[in-house]
Amino acid sequence: MLSGKDETTDALTRTVQLRTKMMALLAALTIFSAVLMPIADSADADVPWCYHDPICNDTIWISRPYGVCNGTRQSPINIETAKVKGDSNLTAFSFTGFDNNSTMKKIKNTGKTVKVDFADGLMSVSGGGLPNTFNSLQFHLHWGNGSSSPGSEHTVDDKRYPMELHIVNLNSKFNGDIAQIVEDSEGIAALGFFIEATNEPGPESWKTLTKYLSNLTHAGDYANITDHISVDELLVGVDRTRYYRYLGSLTTPKCQEAVVWTVFKDTVKVNKDLIDLFSTTIFVNSSSNSPLMTNVYRNIVPTNNRVVTSQPAPAPASAVSKTSSTVVLLFFAMLSLLHMG
Ligand SMILES: *[C@@H]1O[C@H](CO)[C@@H](O)[C@H](O)[C@H]1NC(C)=O
Ligand SMILES: *[C@@H]1O[C@H](CO)[C@@H](O)[C@H](O)[C@H]1NC(C)=O
Ligand SMILES: *[C@@H]1O[C@H](CO)[C@@H](O)[C@H](O)[C@H]1NC(C)=O
Ligand SMILES: *[C@@H]1O[C@H](CO)[C@@H](O)[C@H](O)[C@H]1NC(C)=O
Ligand SMILES: *[C@@H]1O[C@H](CO)[C@@H](O)[C@H](O)[C@H]1NC(C)=O
Ligand SMILES: *[C@@H]1O[C@H](CO)[C@@H](O)[C@H](O)[C@H]1NC(C)=O
Ligand SMILES: *[C@@H]1O[C@H](CO)[C@@H](O)[C@H](O)[C@H]1NC(C)=O
Ligand SMILES: *[C@@H]1O[C@H](CO)[C@@H](O)[C@H](O)[C@H]1NC(C)=O
Ligand SMILES: *[C@@H]1O[C@H](CO)[C@@H](O)[C@H](O)[C@H]1NC(C)=O
Ligand SMILES: [Zn+2]
């Protein structure tokens, strides 16, 4: 999710939904396309989309007005670990400002997620096999319905995790020009972190962050972040040299195929009750009968012919030395046999 047009999107979603309620399915479909076409044609307008209403959920996104969600390089995918290929270019990242505890400015209920905006120019990421330096813009979260009903976007060998945190970073060569960035095949570097539930208290940083949720109940609500938390503190427990890499897309319309994806193997372990707060505190709109925000993730899409890469299998050196010590042992065994004989 990139834009700040969530409110417009919600207003449009409402209009569309009200109309459908009043019409038969066929009539509704006609109006649906009539309402959407002009939006798709305007330069920077988003289309109304949602996660659950059958009229705008991810089954529908593959239709043209929603962008390129039916492309062949889409996200999220199921990572099949048996098919992952080693790539020695996937070295360590260099993170700038991730240790600064005053880069998070604002936390917001966008109607689709909870998003934290970073202050301009303080955070960036490079290395890690990325083609350039990428400036960090925001992070947001995807979740299911409580810690026992998982809602990560990527899955690993079909396992879905309770939550997934996405840090969105923009290729610095475009100087923040979003229109150009989403048209470039390497415009965005997204960093995905799985969040697992623990009964332990977990990191204090998550307690601090989730304190804000009670001020974000309605879509459009936001809070200024006054606490000092760093991104590093939110990501404790993750060895950031171990990750999967593949080329994909934004996971929300218009699903532009502009993303170099990094999905880290280790998980962040967050207290179960804090995870549950997301699906029990945040509402999708500001009406009194608004549903809670639950299951905010796109379903997985085909990998097609893409290859997921990762760090090469470790230490061929130790394999060699094991083999040679076996040879040495065999040699001595034979030697002693000869002596006995
Ligand atoms: C999305 O809508 C389709 C019908 O268009 C429905 O079959 C599907 O179950 C819905 N998916 C979700 C996640 O709500
Ligand atoms: C996606 O949809 C567009 C318009 O409906 C179509 O032209 C295009 O071929 C589709 N692409 C794929 C990969 O299905
Ligand atoms: C590593 O990067 C080099 C230079 O960009 C490239 O030529 C090579 O194909 C990459 N290796 C793999 C395994 O992708
Ligand atoms: C940390 O962020 C603040 C802005 O909130 C900035 O003033 C400060 O220079 C940053 N610290 C470093 C070491 O970059
Ligand atoms: C989420 O879980 C709650 C409590 O377990 C349940 O009442 C509710 O129906 C669930 N919501 C969805 C959308 O599945
Ligand atoms: C939530 O909002 C109230 C009232 O505006 C404010 O006093 C409080 O500081 C806010 N809480 C947080 C965690 O920002
Ligand atoms: C956030 O801070 C700005 C000033 O920096 C202030 O105008 C605004 O009212 C604050 N918003 C909230 C929700 O506290
Ligand atoms: C934030 O970082 C500053 C500078 O590194 C440090 O002095 C301060 O104690 C930190 N605050 C918190 C709450 O960690
Ligand atoms: C809020 O969202 C629900 C579910 O999508 C919808 O039925 C309802 O009409 C929405 N209300 C408003 C005021 O947008
Ligand atoms: Zn995301």
Side-chain angles (χ1 to χ4, degrees):
M1 221 166 284
L2 269 182
S3 75
K5 301 198 189 68
D6 317 299
E7 293 81 5
T8 331
T9 305
D10 277 357
L12 289 164
T13 311
R14 260 173 253 142
T15 315
V16 173
Q17 286 167 354
L18 277 175
R19 280 170 192 256
T20 15
K21 273 191 189 140
M22 297 183 291
M23 317 271 166
L25 180 64
L26 218 63
L29 281 175
T30 316
I31 287 174
F32 186 56
S33 26
V35 169
L36 290 182
M37 288 313 174
I39 298 164
D41 294 336
S42 79
D44 61 351
D46 283 342
V47 289
W49 57 274
C50 66
Y51 285 108
H52 301 298
D53 195 322
I55 198 178
C56 48
N57 78 10
D58 63 4
T59 304
I60 309 290
W61 300 359
I62 60 169
S63 65
R64 197 180 70 88
Y66 287 87
V68 295
C69 305
N70 72 334
T72 53
R73 188 194 133 165
Q74 289 286 296
S75 295
I77 59 170
N78 175 43
I79 296 166
E80 291 181 77
T81 55
K83 292 187 182 166
V84 172
K85 294 269 183 296
D87 180 351
S88 54
N89 292 334
L90 300 179
T91 52
F93 288 98
S94 169
F95 297 100
T96 301
F98 280 52
D99 60 349
N100 188 329
N101 65 25
S102 36
T103 62
M104 297 181 203
K105 289 294 156 205
K106 214 169 103 168
I107 182 165
K108 185 175 182 186
N109 172 349
T110 70
K112 303 291 196 298
T113 185
V114 166
K115 182 183 75 161
V116 171
D117 287 329
F118 300 131
D120 284 342
L122 290 173
M123 291 175 58
S124 64
V125 57
S126 62
L130 295 174
N132 202 356
T133 296
F134 288 71
N135 297 320
S136 311
L137 181 69
Q138 48 110 324
F139 78 80
H140 61 267
L141 295 142
H142 298 272
W143 62 89
N145 188 18
S147 53
S148 52
S149 186
S152 68
E153 294 214 296
H154 291 93
T155 57
V156 177
D157 293 333
D158 297 318
K159 179 185 166 66
R160 193 178 295 287
Y161 290 88
M163 297 183 78
E164 188 171 332
L165 183 153
H166 288 161
I167 304 179
V168 178
N169 311 275
L170 309 179
N171 194 323
S172 62
K173 80 174 176 191
F174 298 111
N175 295 313
D177 183 336
I178 298 287
Q180 281 189 52
I181 286 164
V182 297
E183 289 307 314
D184 189 271
S185 67
E186 296 174 326
I188 295 167
L191 307 178
F193 295 87
F194 293 124
I195 291 162
E196 256 184 322
T198 174
N199 290 319
E200 303 295 312
E204 189 67 22
S205 57
W206 280 87
K207 210 173 191 176
T208 308
L209 185 78
T210 50
K211 261 194 333 195
Y212 289 91
L213 295 182
S214 60
N215 279 20
L216 306 179
T217 52
H218 301 123
D221 287 353
Y222 77 95
N224 295 316
I225 297 184
T226 51
D227 290 281
H228 293 287
I229 343 166
S230 68
V231 172
D232 279 349
E233 288 166 330
L234 290 177
L235 304 178
V236 289
V238 179
D239 174 351
R240 283 181 243 159
T241 66
R242 291 165 26 85
Y243 55 88
Y244 302 109
R245 166 64 45 77
Y246 78 99
L247 298 178
S249 73
L250 296 178
T251 63
T252 58
K254 303 175 178 175
C255 309
Q256 287 95 338
E257 297 183 333
V259 183
V260 179
W261 271 101
T262 301
V263 177
F264 292 90
K265 296 183 179 182
D266 291 344
T267 62
V268 185
K269 275 126 193 126
V270 174
N271 177 267
K272 174 187 164 301
D273 297 334
L274 299 183
I275 290 178
D276 290 345
L277 282 178
F278 287 88
S279 52
T280 55
T281 316
I282 307 291
F283 291 86
V284 300
N285 61 35
S286 37
S287 73
S288 55
N289 65 346
S290 169
L292 284 161
M293 195 182 287
T294 55
N295 300 316
V296 282
Y297 61 91
R298 184 188 191 186
N299 290 297
I300 59 158
V301 295
T303 305
N304 296 318
N305 54 6
R306 285 176 290 176
V307 176
V308 179
T309 54
S310 185
Q311 288 67 46
S318 87
V320 165
S321 71
K322 256 185 209 157
T323 313
S324 47
S325 50
T326 311
V327 168
V328 169
L329 275 176
L330 274 173
F331 176 76
F332 280 108
M334 279 162 65
L335 210 65
S336 54
L337 277 174
L338 284 174
H339 279 273
M340 287 197 314

